[in-house]
Amino acid sequence: MLHNLTVVLVKTRFPENVGMVARACANMGARNIVLVDPERWSEADGDPAKAVPLATPKGQDILSGVRVVATLAEAVADCAVVFGTTARTGGWRRELLSPERAAAEACPVLAGGDRVAVVFGPEDRGLTNDEIEHCHRLLTIPTAPEASSLNLAQAVLVVLYECLKGASAHPFRPGPAPDSRLANHAELELLHDTLRDTLLAIDYLRADNPDYFMMPVRRFLGRTRLRRHEFDLVMGVCRQVKRMAALAHATPATEGTTPEGSLPDDTGNVN
Amino acid sequence: MLHNLTVVLVKTRFPENVGMVARACANMGARNIVLVDPERWSEADGDPAKAVPLATPKGQDILSGVRVVATLAEAVADCAVVFGTTARTGGWRRELLSPERAAAEACPVLAGGDRVAVVFGPEDRGLTNDEIEHCHRLLTIPTAPEASSLNLAQAVLVVLYECLKGASAHPFRPGPAPDSRLANHAELELLHDTLRDTLLAIDYLRADNPDYFMMPVRRFLGRTRLRRHEFDLVMGVCRQVKRMAALAHATPATEGTTPEGSLPDDTGNVN
């Protein structure tokens, strides 16, 4: 039911927790775990073997299919929507979803045949701001205010439990035609970089700190559920704009007409 | 928020699981754990100490307040509503609630100042039928069909998580006047026994197997949310009926008029 959902664990510290997450995945019908740069997961040190008893027999298949990658970007490259989990509730400029609301967003995507990732930070610290920038949506699990730190497998279980509940309301349909599937994380990252380069090329953004201005664009892209053919379209437009800009820059007469302005203020509707 | 909810763990096998449950309780704002006849919980063998690391600092208060009792009846004596958890879905004649539905029933009771218990069976087998007879309501956590056995602390967390979600919709009000509080489990058990004795005294039930006929009565009592003053009233009626029956039996002329019949058929509305 949750077979195209990926549980991404960033820099886990203890193999035993990976085992417990594998069991939780089995309980809720999820099949895929990706470890990003785990602290202890060396075959030579027998780390994966330490996870085995905690995965229980039902989690062994999932455990042996665990994928290890170096970066979060790599882990979520094929996912259309990436949910990040955080226990922090203060100071976020971004909307924090409840697990229930996140599941309500994830389930139609899963049912459409696209991949969804849910990203969990290390046991002791949660996700960093840089890691969170790879997440399209953020969710937080409600807890008692005085004890908000959940065990990793507990956090995974609650999110998957809500997804399993939601999945029954959104039964899986066979995947859509390839050209109408959702753009995945890797494509959205490429689109982000292309847009930045294009905006730089037309002197709309200034070269000194374009990433700051691009932050709301990234969030907008994470929210839009852009489809693959729309991605192709915007990429084509950017290519053409950059070509025009290159031609324009080759013509001395157009220099000195650069407009000044920041993207968030000018576009208004991206945040 | 869930301070008048009791987590009852029946015959737990491993102290470590009690520690993890304490942490889950802390995370969701529940404070009370009762162990019924635990397999390993001996101070001499250092069992409680094994639970300490898994409870994490936030769970230590809860862990040191763990109460150990010999029987399930004792554990839930002061609770107005007792929920039993089961992974089994086949063959039940009783309604199985989702955690969400169970929380929707539990939260108004908790908010009214009455106590609610949620009972979890041992790690390896779940609750027995005898144990389930002490539960007014049964709930089951949805899982993938091929891996329905949850870790004990995971099961506790999911149920408490739903209760915490529900509790925000039912903020705690100061307790009602003592005479209008809900009857608790011990009172309901006493009422059950008194009704049985009364029905035996008037020769309505036959002495060979009264408990079989009383089963639907027990379930009815578990569902009604009887208040304390109503309990007093029915107890008083029973007392008077038994007095009349004793007088009647002392009069030889009334013998031989015993009606035959089973309680469920005759009363119709208890099941």
Side-chain angles (χ1 to χ4, degrees):
Chain A
M1 301 191 247
L2 304 179
H3 67 276
N4 47 344
L5 186 147
T6 302
V7 171
V8 180
L9 307 179
V10 177
K11 295 182 196 283
T12 44
R13 305 197 57 210
F14 302 105
E16 289 81 355
N17 283 326
V18 179
M20 289 178 67
V21 169
R23 178 180 183 177
C25 286
N27 286 143
M28 296 296 142
R31 313 297 309 165
N32 301 286
I33 298 175
V34 180
L35 305 182
V36 177
D37 189 21
E39 196 168 311
R40 295 177 186 84
W41 197 257
S42 141
E43 289 284 355
D45 295 345
D47 290 330
K50 290 176 195 156
V52 166
L54 289 126
T56 76
K58 299 288 187 189
Q60 296 310 320
D61 277 2
I62 296 167
L63 199 57
S64 50
V66 161
R67 203 155 56 91
V68 182
V69 298
T71 66
L72 179 53
E74 207 177 328
V76 300
D78 63 346
C79 295
V81 189
V82 180
F83 291 90
T85 56
T86 171
R88 289 193 263 175
T89 51
W92 291 103
R93 285 168 305 164
R94 295 167 65 180
E95 185 190 2
L96 281 176
L97 303 170
S98 68
E100 203 170 356
R101 280 278 298 136
E105 288 193 13
C107 289
V109 177
L110 290 169
D114 292 296
R115 295 202 68 84
V116 169
V118 189
V119 183
F120 298 85
E123 292 90 334
D124 52 348
R125 66 158 169 81
L127 296 169
T128 64
N129 287 347
D130 279 354
E131 287 155 358
I132 278 177
E133 281 307 313
H134 283 283
C135 302
H136 304 139
R137 302 292 269 154
L138 289 183
L139 70 89
T140 189
I141 297 172
T143 61
E146 64 277 11
S148 64
S149 170
L150 290 166
N151 165 275
L152 182 58
Q154 300 275 46
V156 171
L157 187 85
V158 165
V159 177
L160 296 186
Y161 159 79
E162 287 287 6
C163 290
L164 183 69
K165 284 204 299 181
S168 59
H170 293 92
F172 176 73
R173 292 175 283 112
D179 65 340
S180 74
R181 72 162 171 80
L182 294 178
N184 63 33
H185 183 266
E187 289 159 350
L188 292 177
E189 286 296 296
L190 179 60
L191 182 56
H192 167 274
D193 292 352
T194 304
L195 282 170
R196 183 195 56 211
D197 294 347
T198 307
L199 294 172
L200 284 167
I202 61 169
D203 303 322
Y204 182 88
L205 284 183
R206 283 148 56 148
D208 54 352
N209 189 11
D211 287 336
Y212 177 77
F213 294 108
M214 287 303 288
M215 215 179 275
V217 176
R218 185 195 284 273
R219 289 176 189 169
F220 174 73
L221 290 176
R223 249 195 12 246
T224 45
R225 309 279 183 273
L226 204 71
R227 301 210 159 265
R228 170 68 207 210
H229 66 273
E230 295 161 340
F231 161 83
D232 290 338
L233 189 147
V234 183
M235 288 291 282
V237 171
C238 287
R239 210 164 28 239
Q240 191 58 16
V241 170
K242 280 196 285 184
R243 190 172 301 153
M244 287 299 136
L247 283 172
H249 279 108
T251 314
T254 62
E255 289 196 39
T257 61
T258 309
E260 306 256 348
S262 68
L263 184 62
D265 292 348
D266 287 354
T267 59
N269 62 350
V270 292
N271 59 51
Chain B
M1 301 190 247
L2 305 179
H3 67 277
N4 46 344
L5 186 146
T6 303
V7 171
V8 180
L9 308 179
V10 178
K11 294 182 195 286
T12 44
R13 304 197 57 209
F14 303 105
E16 289 83 354
N17 283 326
V18 178
M20 290 178 66
V21 169
R23 178 180 183 177
C25 286
N27 287 143
M28 296 296 141
R31 313 296 309 163
N32 302 285
I33 298 176
V34 180
L35 305 182
V36 178
D37 189 23
E39 197 169 311
R40 295 178 186 82
W41 197 257
S42 142
E43 289 286 354
D45 296 345
D47 290 330
K50 291 176 194 156
V52 166
L54 289 126
T56 75
K58 300 288 188 189
Q60 297 309 320
D61 278 0
I62 296 167
L63 199 57
S64 50
V66 160
R67 201 154 58 87
V68 181
V69 298
T71 65
L72 179 53
E74 208 178 328
V76 299
D78 63 346
C79 295
V81 189
V82 180
F83 291 90
T85 55
T86 172
R88 289 193 264 175
T89 51
W92 292 102
R93 284 169 306 163
R94 297 167 64 180
E95 187 190 1
L96 281 175
L97 304 170
S98 68
E100 204 170 355
R101 279 278 299 135
E105 289 194 14
C107 289
V109 177
L110 290 168
D114 292 294
R115 295 201 69 83
V116 169
V118 189
V119 184
F120 297 84
E123 293 89 335
D124 51 349
R125 65 159 170 81
L127 295 170
T128 63
N129 287 346
D130 279 353
E131 287 154 0
I132 279 176
E133 281 308 312
H134 283 282
C135 301
H136 304 139
R137 303 291 269 154
L138 290 183
L139 71 88
T140 190
I141 298 172
T143 62
E146 63 279 9
S148 64
S149 171
L150 290 165
N151 166 274
L152 181 59
Q154 300 275 49
V156 171
L157 187 85
V158 165
V159 176
L160 296 186
Y161 159 79
E162 287 287 6
C163 290
L164 183 70
K165 284 203 299 179
S168 60
H170 293 94
F172 176 73
R173 293 175 282 114
D179 66 340
S180 73
R181 71 162 171 80
L182 294 179
N184 64 33
H185 184 267
E187 289 158 350
L188 292 177
E189 286 295 297
L190 179 60
L191 183 56
H192 167 274
D193 292 351
T194 304
L195 282 170
R196 184 194 55 209
D197 295 347
T198 306
L199 294 173
L200 284 168
I202 60 169
D203 302 323
Y204 182 88
L205 284 183
R206 282 147 58 145
D208 54 352
N209 190 10
D211 286 337
Y212 178 77
F213 294 108
M214 289 302 290
M215 216 179 272
V217 176
R218 185 195 285 271
R219 288 174 190 171
F220 173 74
L221 290 175
R223 249 194 13 247
T224 45
R225 309 281 184 269
L226 204 71
R227 300 213 159 262
R228 169 70 205 209
H229 66 272
E230 295 161 339
F231 162 82
D232 290 338
L233 189 147
V234 183
M235 288 292 282
V237 171
C238 286
R239 210 167 24 243
Q240 191 59 17
V241 170
K242 280 197 281 185
R243 190 171 299 153
M244 288 298 136
L247 283 172
H249 279 108
T251 314
T254 63
E255 287 196 40
T257 61
T258 311
E260 307 255 348
S262 69
L263 186 62
D265 292 346
D266 289 352
T267 60
N269 62 348
V270 293
N271 56 51

